[in-house]
Amino acid sequence: MKDEFVRFGLDKQRQLTGILQLLGALGLILGYFLFPIVTVIAAAGLSILMFLGFLVRIKIKDSILQSLPSLLFAVINLYISVQYFYKIIS
C-alpha cells in the first residue's frame, strides 16, 4: 500500500488518509450503536475520501477496473449517509 501512495504522488498524505479511514470506520460503528448523527457524518466523510481516491486513480490513468472499487465504496457510503440522515429527520 505504501508503494501505491508513492505511485499516486501522495506519499506525504498516506498517514492522514489511514487515520481518516480508521476514524470513519469507528464513527460508523459508534453511530450504529449509539448516535445515528455520527453515522451520517462518518459515512459522508468516507464517501468524500473514496470519491477523491477515485479521482486520483482517474488522474493517474488507472483502468476503470482498477478505479471502480473506490467509486463503489463512495456510492455505498453516500447511500448510508443519506439513509441515516432521513432516519434522523423523520
Side-chain angles (χ1 to χ4, degrees), residues 47 50-51 54 67-79:
S47 182
M50 290 292 102
F51 185 70
F54 174 73
S67 305
L68 204 56
S70 57
L71 182 60
L72 180 65
F73 283 118
V75 170
I76 290 169
N77 278 295
L78 182 61
Y79 176 80

Side-chain angles (χ1 to χ4, degrees), residues 19-64:
I19 290 168
L20 290 173
Q21 288 176 343
L22 289 172
L23 287 174
L26 184 62
L28 288 175
I29 293 167
L30 288 177
Y32 180 77
F33 291 109
L34 300 173
F35 310 107
I37 189 67
V38 175
T39 301
V40 173
I41 295 166
L46 286 171
S47 182
I48 292 168
L49 199 61
M50 290 292 102
F51 185 70
L52 290 173
F54 174 73
L55 292 179
V56 166
R57 286 194 171 269
I58 295 299
K59 181 182 175 192
I60 65 169
K61 299 188 182 354
D62 274 355
S63 71
I64 292 294

Side-chain angles (χ1 to χ4, degrees), residues 77-89:
N77 278 295
L78 182 61
Y79 176 80
I80 292 168
S81 183
V82 169
Q83 290 300 311
Y84 267 80
F85 178 74
Y86 283 126
K87 189 176 184 180
I88 291 170
I89 62 170

